[in-house]
């Protein structure tokens, strides 16, 4: 989510959703849709949980343990006597802040996340260490306007969890679960200047300061969602994400305790960890979760990849079932053309085609799965340089983009050049290093291919496109049919007549 040159952001920028009402963010800058602040320095200052730290959240008796989930970008701050919280806005108690980058959001087809008069709530996520006595006891939360939004008792009062048999909407707060992700017990109001977007500011509690406490605070992200005048979440599309930094199919597929460590070997997590993360981040159990799986192709045997993908599906089905949500649906996204394990292009293609075949088979046999291939949608063209793709690769990329109507791409009201170098265009190089996308417009291009397919695949009986097939669709169709609206030419034979009524009713049934 925080990388604007990756497909999740591209999807948010271009997919046909006009009601993005909730977004889950982790802590990271880099020009993404989050905006972050850190006011720590000295001994104990913020440490990012990432490759340089072996993906380790905590170390117990010198042994790395618990990186919690492939969230990336979790942070930890230690209450050392040498910790310094420099003044900001006249407040020396500020620790960190995380919020929506509204100007970046406004650059998408969804438009800005906040506007004058909009109201928001925030669910703040944190990690509780194995020994709760090591967790910071309390902190305060404010919004960007400086309004105090409450005292968070981290050790004593966390959000109860559905899968443990509690109802977080009616049961009282309870102690956090050790070695797992947790949320503050109540979602907090975030009313502020709409230009920048909602932001949660975390401050030390003057009555129980972080400095010299010898306690830890682990920020694991924040969910921001729009609310009505009664403080209830406004229904709509909720965008969340995991694993933007090279987790493997195998790492996602198996119930393995997280252990930290270098490279992909340390990137594992247990079913229990998945459950706690999903539980803490679920906003509405009645809303159908859609799990979108898009991973780079790996050079492994077909039976190994097939087993891993089935393992991922099984884990999410079980986790959502334990939480009590609506059953999940899965969208399997086949890779675009890229180099697999730094292999030459022609040695990479069979692995990409193999992954497509696995996904296609699952979509034809599993009723909760759908499949889309970026590789097939682009005719297997490698959008890269001659150095990475071989002689003529870049010209072939330009030619394909021009011939298929993708010379430029427009989203958020701005047009970007894909096939030309003019005006800062990409000149056909969408994957500069042969694997990762080169720029936000490249991510938007691939995401728009998927979004267009989603639009075409919409249930045709849902004529008014509200997500439900009911009598309102019949009325909407008949109104269009009576008005001789071209949309009422349901059988696409060039005429609006009674055959279209029969075709519509068959689809509606």
């Amino acid at each position: 989510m925080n990388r604007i040159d990756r497909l999740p952001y591209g999807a948010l920028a271009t997919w046909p959703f006009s009601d993005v009402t909730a977004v889950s963010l982790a802590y990271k800058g880099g020009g993404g849709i989050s905006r972050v602040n850190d006011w720590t320095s000295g001994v104990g200052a913020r440490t990012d949980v990432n490759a340089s730290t072996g993906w380790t959240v905590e170390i117990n008796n010198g042994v790395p343990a618990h990186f919690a989930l492939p969230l990336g970008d979790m942070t930890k701050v230690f209450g050392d006597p040498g910790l310094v919280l420099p003044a900001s806005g006249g407040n020396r108690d500020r620790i960190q802040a995380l919020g929506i980058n509204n100007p970046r959001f406004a650059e998408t087809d969804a438009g800005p996340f906040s506007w004058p008069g909009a109201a928001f709530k925030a669910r703040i996520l944190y990690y509780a260490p194995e020994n709760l006595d090591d967790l910071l006891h309390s902190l305060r939360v404010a919004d960007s306007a400086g309004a105090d939004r409450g005292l968070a008792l981290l050790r004593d009062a966390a959000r109860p969890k559905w899968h443990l048999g509690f109802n977080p909407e009616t049961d009282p707060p309870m102690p956090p679960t050790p070695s797992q992700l947790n949320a503050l017990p109540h979602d907090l109001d975030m009313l502020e200047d709409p230009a920048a977007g909602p932001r949660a500011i975390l401050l030390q509690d003057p009555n129980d300061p972080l400095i010299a406490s010898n306690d830890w605070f682990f920020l694991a992200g924040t969910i921001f969602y729009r609310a009505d005048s009664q403080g209830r979440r406004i229904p709509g599309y909720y965008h969340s994400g995991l694993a933007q930094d090279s987790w493997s199919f195998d790492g996602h597929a198996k119930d393995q305790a997280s252990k930290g460590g270098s490279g992909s070997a340390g990137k594992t997590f247990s079913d229990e960890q998945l459950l706690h993360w999903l539980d803490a981040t679920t906003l509405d159990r009645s809303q159908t979760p859609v799990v979108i799986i898009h991973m780079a192709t790996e050079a492994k045997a077909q039976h190994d990849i097939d087993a891993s993908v089935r393992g991922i599906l099984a884990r999410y089905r079980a986790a959502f079932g334990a939480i009590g949500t609506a059953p999940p649906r899965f969208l399997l996204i086949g890779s675009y053309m890229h180099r697999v394990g730094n292999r030459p292009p022609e040695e990479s293609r069979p692995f990409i085609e193999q992954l497509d075949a696995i996904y296609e088979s699952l979509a034809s046999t599993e009723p909760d799965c759908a499949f889309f291939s970026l590789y097939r949608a682009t005719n297997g063209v490698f959008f890269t340089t001659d150095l990475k793709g071989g002689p003529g690769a870049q010209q072939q990329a330009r030619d394909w983009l021009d011939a298929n109507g993708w010379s430029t791409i427009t989203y958020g009201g701005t047009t970007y050049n894909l096939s030309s170098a003019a005006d800062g265009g990409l000149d056909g190089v969408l994957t500069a290093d042969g694997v990762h996308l080169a720029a936000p417009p490249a991510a938007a291009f691939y995401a728009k291919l998927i979004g267009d397919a989603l639009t075409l695949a919409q249930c045709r009986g849902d004529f008014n496109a509200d997500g439900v097939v009911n009598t309102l669709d019949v009325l909407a169709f008949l109104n269009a049919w009576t008005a001789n609206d071209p949309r009422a030419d349901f059988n696409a034979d060039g005429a609006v007549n009674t055959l279209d009524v029969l075709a519509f009713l068959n689809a509606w049934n």
Side-chain angles (χ1 to χ4, degrees):
M1 275 304 306
N2 296 304
R3 291 289 297 268
I4 60 172
D5 56 352
R6 299 288 170 92
L7 272 175
Y9 172 82
L12 196 61
T14 64
W15 281 11
F17 299 130
S18 59
D19 57 348
V20 180
T21 62
V23 176
S24 180
L25 298 175
Y27 187 98
K28 191 170 184 176
I33 64 165
S34 67
R35 58 192 182 108
V36 299
N37 298 91
D38 174 67
W39 293 287
T40 65
S41 63
V43 182
R46 187 201 88 210
T47 302
D48 293 335
V49 178
N50 55 28
S52 65
T53 56
W55 310 103
T56 303
V57 172
E58 60 175 312
I59 297 177
N60 299 322
N61 299 319
V63 179
H66 310 299
F67 82 108
L69 259 188
L71 284 168
D73 316 320
M74 275 177 53
T75 67
K76 53 184 178 181
V77 179
F78 181 59
D80 188 273
L83 176 67
V84 178
L85 300 179
S88 172
N91 193 327
R92 294 184 177 275
D93 288 323
R94 292 186 174 194
I95 304 170
Q96 291 171 291
L98 175 60
I100 296 284
N101 184 357
N102 202 47
R104 177 69 71 187
F105 225 102
E107 296 172 1
T108 71
D109 283 348
F113 189 76
S114 59
W115 54 80
F120 306 91
K121 286 202 165 185
R123 180 175 300 176
I124 297 173
L125 309 172
Y126 66 101
Y127 173 84
E130 186 173 18
N131 183 355
L132 292 183
D133 289 339
D134 293 335
L135 178 64
L136 179 65
H137 190 272
S138 62
L139 54 74
R140 301 205 69 85
V141 184
D143 62 23
S144 285
D148 191 326
R149 294 301 172 185
L151 179 68
L153 301 175
L154 301 176
R155 285 191 202 173
D156 302 324
R159 178 181 174 84
K161 291 174 177 170
W162 297 105
H163 80 274
L164 297 178
F166 299 99
N167 185 337
E169 297 172 1
T170 58
D171 290 336
M174 57 194 306
T177 309
S179 303
Q180 301 295 345
L181 291 185
N182 296 270
L184 296 189
H186 305 294
D187 299 342
L188 306 174
D189 293 322
M190 290 286 144
L191 305 175
E192 59 173 298
D193 177 5
R199 182 172 63 152
I201 300 176
L202 310 174
L203 308 93
Q204 71 172 347
D205 177 7
N207 297 315
D208 186 25
L210 170 63
I211 296 175
S213 66
N214 290 315
D215 292 332
W216 291 95
F217 171 58
F218 305 84
L219 178 61
T222 302
I223 303 165
F224 294 93
Y225 61 90
R226 294 201 189 104
D228 62 18
S229 59
Q230 304 301 312
R232 297 169 300 200
R233 184 202 164 202
I234 296 174
Y237 179 63
Y238 166 27
H239 198 96
S240 183
L242 275 178
Q244 64 181 16
D245 291 302
S246 305
W247 271 262
S248 68
F249 278 104
D250 186 62
H252 276 285
K254 295 180 180 178
D255 178 14
Q256 306 173 86
S258 65
K259 54 184 179 291
S262 62
S264 61
K267 299 177 181 180
T268 57
F269 58 95
S270 67
D271 288 347
E272 183 182 21
Q273 290 172 293
L274 179 61
L275 261 175
H276 282 274
W277 175 75
L278 282 175
D279 204 317
T281 57
T282 291
L283 296 179
D284 181 357
R285 292 198 303 168
S286 67
Q287 185 167 342
T288 299
V290 179
V291 180
I292 302 166
I293 300 174
H294 169 69
M295 298 178 70
T297 305
E298 297 176 16
K300 295 182 179 178
Q302 181 166 344
H303 61 84
D304 289 335
I305 296 292
D306 183 80
S308 290
V309 176
R310 291 179 184 275
I312 295 171
L313 301 180
R315 293 186 84 181
Y316 277 93
R317 288 173 182 138
F320 281 117
I323 295 166
T325 71
R329 302 295 182 93
F330 299 92
L331 177 57
L332 311 175
I333 305 294
S335 304
Y336 47 80
M337 177 59 198
H338 63 87
R339 296 183 71 161
V340 178
N342 210 32
R343 287 169 173 76
E346 294 315 307
E347 292 182 20
S348 299
R349 289 185 187 278
F351 291 107
I352 296 173
E353 292 165 357
Q354 169 186 284
L355 181 62
D356 273 359
I358 291 169
Y359 283 167
E360 187 170 39
S361 175
L362 285 167
S364 67
T365 58
E366 304 292 325
D368 57 1
C369 290
F371 159 61
F372 181 78
S373 169
L374 290 168
Y375 179 83
R376 296 180 189 177
T378 53
N379 302 115
V381 171
F382 196 4
F383 297 93
T384 192
T385 62
D386 288 2
L387 178 64
K388 295 293 183 180
Q394 188 171 354
Q395 186 61 52
Q396 183 185 25
R398 296 189 196 105
D399 291 345
W400 189 94
L401 292 166
D402 291 339
N404 289 274
W406 289 103
S407 301
T408 60
I409 185 171
T410 300
Y411 62 95
T414 302
T415 298
Y416 303 89
N417 250 312
L418 296 184
S419 68
S420 169
D423 303 318
L426 295 184
D427 206 16
V429 183
L430 307 188
T431 55
D433 65 355
V435 179
H436 301 99
L437 298 179
F445 161 68
Y446 284 118
K448 190 162 177 56
L449 290 172
I450 304 167
D452 289 351
L454 287 173
T455 302
L456 291 173
Q458 175 187 301
C459 176
R460 300 193 72 215
D462 180 16
F463 193 78
N464 64 1
D466 66 355
V468 181
V469 177
N470 55 27
T471 53
L472 294 178
D473 297 298
V474 177
L475 296 175
F477 172 78
L478 291 178
N479 285 336
W481 187 81
T482 301
N484 206 38
D485 188 319
R487 293 179 305 143
D489 180 15
F490 206 78
N491 63 0
D493 66 355
V496 176
N497 54 32
T498 54
L499 295 178
D500 297 298
V501 177
L502 296 175
F504 167 75
L505 290 176
N506 284 334
W508 186 82
N509 283 327

